[in-house]
Amino acid sequence: LLHLLLPPVQAQPHRSAGRGRLARGGGRMGNFHTSGPNQVIMKSGCNGTKVRVGQTCWAWWFFETVQRMSLELLTIEINSVEAETAQGVRVSVRGVAQIKVKAFQPLESDPTKVTINDRAIKLAVKHFLGHSEESVRQALQATMEGHQRQILGTMTVESLYKDRKEFSELVRQHIDDDLSNLGFELASYVVQKIDDENGYMESLGITQTARVKREAAEGRAKNESAARRKVARHDADARQAEAIESKKAHVGVNEQLEMEAESDRDLKLKRAAFQREVNEAQAKAASAGPIEQARQQQHIVRERTRQRQVEEQVNLEIADKVIEREKKEKEGESLAKLLEEQNRAKAKELLAQARADKIRADGEAEAEVIRMKGEAEAKVLATKAEAYKDYGEAAVVQMIMERLPEIAKRVAGPLAKTEKMVFVSSEGSGPSAFTNDMSKMVGHVPEIVHSLTGFDMREAIRNITHQNQSQVTATSAEL
């Protein structure tokens, strides 16, 4: 359409730096636009709005518009005259701010790198595109001055006087948001002067000056006093050092004399020691022969003793081996004897069991015989008892007396089997004592009969004797 409407035109140089041309079909349809690193190009039209910083862009005629805005740093002087502080004292403050368009921002992925801040550039262009640099400066100056007055109203004169850095930081913190909303950022802000018409600041300065002068005078007096003390101390140290050196010299002389005396004494002692060593060497040389002979003799005795010890040790080892062997043989013999004794005990046990069974059987048979014999004897005794009832006591005694020789014979029966008797007596009464013992044994027969039968032979004999005497007495009386 543009081809048809516009006639072909020869390309001519353009006045703007960085502009180009594009020939298409012999006609010009648009231009190239180039911006430096301190300038932004805003291209707007059918393709929207685009921002270019330090780049080249193409703009179509009639359909796109290109506008430029400076990114250079703006130096703005901010004067707050008669501004009230928190105490109501009016002060005048002059500050200098460096402000620029916030055209770049760091990358989130890599803070060391930057990228174009389209949003801030578009805000700055929106507010100030087409304005002169002076009008932009005035607008920013008014914003800065308002914030500066606002911060002054929260601080005292003393804090302003003592800490201007804190005041600058507060101004920076307050102005950052407003400048960001305008697309700008504060690069630098410093306070150049703080003054007042009532002399308040001057009074603070005088007070501070007086304080500094007082501190300087105190410092000078302290330094002079310290210097005098130091000089006096050095003088005292010098006198003390002199006395010490004098003392050292005197002590040195005495030490030298003492060392000379010690040297003489050491020389004499060494001479005596050397003479003693010579005497000892001579005595050793004189006695070396006998000593060496005695040493050799001791060595021979020692070797003989060691040889005897070795022989005794060998003998002990041989004896231990013999004892060990005999011990093992005896242990074997003991084990064999133990097995033999065990077998013999088992054989004896079986033999004893057989004998016991035989004895038990014999005993049972003998017991049966004894029982039958006892029953027969019991019957005989019963018959005799019936007969004894008919006999008188004299007859019974007569029967017992007849049996006494047989009883004595049976008592002496074991002695008849004795082949030889040996009597040991210190008095020579062995045979007679033996006869007395036999008489005593026979004399105990009545007691044995009484204990076995309950019949008292002695009492019966006494009764018979008494009856006989009575009869003799009666006969004598009749006569």
Side-chain angles (χ1 to χ4, degrees):
L1 180 60
L2 292 175
H3 251 332
L4 297 175
L5 294 176
L6 296 175
V9 179
Q10 296 292 330
Q12 296 179 357
H14 199 274
R15 289 180 300 176
S16 301
R19 292 184 179 179
R21 64 181 181 82
L22 177 62
R24 180 176 293 177
R28 188 170 59 187
M29 301 176 61
N31 294 322
F32 284 105
H33 301 272
T34 302
S35 66
N38 62 341
Q39 192 179 45
V40 59
I41 293 177
M42 291 295 298
K43 184 180 72 171
S44 58
C46 60
N47 291 327
T49 302
K50 295 182 180 180
V51 177
R52 294 289 185 270
V53 176
Q55 296 176 344
T56 299
C57 65
W58 168 263
W60 296 100
W61 293 343
F62 304 109
F63 298 101
E64 292 180 330
T65 302
V66 174
Q67 292 177 301
R68 299 172 183 271
M69 183 175 178
S70 175
L71 299 178
E72 293 180 355
L73 195 67
L74 299 176
T75 301
I76 302 173
E77 184 176 318
I78 307 164
N79 293 311
S80 297
V81 181
E82 299 272 334
E84 291 186 358
T85 62
Q87 298 170 328
V89 179
R90 295 179 179 274
V91 296
S92 298
V93 178
R94 183 173 72 235
V96 177
Q98 305 287 340
I99 302 176
K100 64 177 182 177
V101 177
K102 195 173 183 180
F104 300 95
Q105 63 181 357
L107 289 173
E108 294 181 357
S109 59
D110 188 1
T112 60
K113 298 180 180 180
V114 296
T115 184
I116 296 175
N117 190 349
D118 291 341
R119 177 180 177 278
I121 293 174
K122 288 179 179 179
L123 287 173
V125 169
K126 178 180 178 182
H127 291 102
F128 299 105
L129 187 62
H131 291 227
S132 63
E133 182 177 331
E134 185 62 27
S135 64
V136 174
R137 191 188 305 274
Q138 290 177 358
L140 295 176
Q141 184 179 20
T143 302
M144 288 292 298
E145 202 275 332
H147 281 283
Q148 185 171 275
R149 281 183 175 272
Q150 185 178 359
I151 299 303
L152 286 171
T154 62
M155 298 183 68
T156 62
V157 179
E158 286 80 2
S159 60
L160 288 171
Y161 181 80
K162 293 179 180 180
D163 196 353
R164 295 187 180 187
K165 183 178 180 181
E166 181 183 2
F167 173 69
S168 300
E169 291 295 332
L170 291 174
V171 172
R172 179 186 292 275
Q173 293 173 6
H174 270 261
I175 198 64
D176 278 345
D177 292 339
D178 287 350
L179 290 179
S180 295
N181 293 332
L182 295 176
F184 286 82
E185 63 177 346
L186 182 63
S188 172
Y189 173 78
V190 293
V191 178
Q192 288 187 341
K193 184 179 180 181
I194 300 176
D195 197 4
D196 69 300
E197 295 180 357
N198 300 320
Y200 194 91
M201 298 291 290
E202 185 178 359
S203 299
L204 290 176
I206 293 172
T207 303
Q208 183 66 21
T209 302
R211 184 183 299 110
V212 171
K213 289 181 179 180
R214 176 175 57 79
E215 292 177 355
E218 292 176 355
R220 183 170 58 255
K222 288 180 181 179
N223 291 332
E224 291 177 354
S225 176
R228 287 194 296 272
R229 286 197 303 271
K230 191 171 183 180
V231 171
R233 185 166 58 252
H234 283 313
D235 292 340
D237 292 341
R239 289 192 295 272
Q240 185 177 4
E242 184 179 359
I244 291 172
E245 292 298 328
S246 177
K247 180 180 178 181
K248 287 182 178 179
H250 185 68
V251 171
V253 173
N254 293 334
E255 289 179 351
Q256 182 64 29
L257 295 175
E258 184 178 356
M259 290 174 63
E260 292 177 358
E262 288 180 356
S263 178
D264 294 339
R265 181 198 64 189
D266 293 341
L267 179 59
K268 293 179 180 180
L269 290 174
K270 286 182 179 180
R271 286 177 178 176
F274 292 154
Q275 186 62 38
R276 184 173 63 254
E277 290 178 1
V278 171
N279 295 334
E280 290 178 356
Q282 292 175 353
K284 287 181 180 179
S287 60
I291 291 174
E292 182 63 25
Q293 185 177 0
R295 186 180 294 111
Q296 293 295 330
Q297 187 65 29
Q298 290 179 355
H299 182 70
I300 293 170
V301 173
R302 191 181 299 110
E303 290 298 327
R304 289 178 179 175
T305 304
R306 187 178 297 110
Q307 183 65 28
R308 285 197 297 272
Q309 289 178 351
V310 171
E311 291 176 357
E312 291 176 357
Q313 183 67 27
V314 172
N315 292 332
L316 288 175
E317 291 179 357
I318 294 172
D320 291 339
K321 296 293 184 180
V322 171
I323 292 171
E324 185 69 20
R325 180 176 57 79
E326 291 178 355
K327 181 179 178 182
K328 291 182 178 180
E329 290 177 355
K330 289 182 178 181
E331 287 179 356
E333 292 176 358
S334 299
L335 182 59
K337 288 181 179 180
L338 179 61
L339 294 175
E340 183 180 356
E341 292 293 334
Q342 288 179 353
N343 295 331
R344 188 179 299 167
K346 289 182 180 180
K348 287 182 179 181
E349 183 179 358
L350 295 175
L351 182 59
Q353 184 67 29
R355 289 179 178 177
D357 293 339
K358 181 178 179 301
I359 292 170
R360 187 182 300 108
D362 294 342
E364 290 177 355
E366 187 177 356
E368 183 65 21
V369 171
I370 292 171
R371 183 182 63 78
M372 293 175 67
K373 184 177 179 181
E375 291 179 355
E377 290 178 352
K379 289 180 181 180
V380 172
L381 290 174
T383 303
K384 287 182 179 182
E386 291 295 333
Y388 287 159
K389 290 179 181 179
D390 296 336
Y391 295 161
E393 192 174 27
V396 174
V397 173
Q398 183 66 32
M399 292 176 67
I400 293 173
M401 293 301 292
E402 292 175 354
R403 293 289 183 181
L404 282 177
E406 185 180 356
I407 293 173
K409 182 180 180 180
R410 290 186 178 276
V411 169
L415 295 176
K417 298 179 181 181
T418 304
E419 296 179 358
K420 184 179 180 180
M421 290 186 181
V422 179
F423 297 97
V424 180
S425 175
S426 60
E427 299 176 355
S429 59
S432 61
F434 177 72
T435 304
N436 292 333
D437 291 337
M438 293 300 299
S439 300
K440 289 179 181 179
M441 291 175 62
V442 175
H444 286 300
V445 171
E447 295 179 359
I448 296 172
V449 173
H450 182 268
S451 61
L452 293 175
T453 63
F455 178 74
D456 192 350
M457 294 174 61
R458 293 176 180 175
E459 185 67 24
I461 293 172
R462 280 196 296 269
N463 291 335
I464 293 171
T465 304
H466 181 68
Q467 290 177 2
N468 291 334
Q469 289 179 355
S470 298
Q471 290 177 1
V472 170
T473 303
T475 304
S476 299
E478 290 177 356
L479 295 175

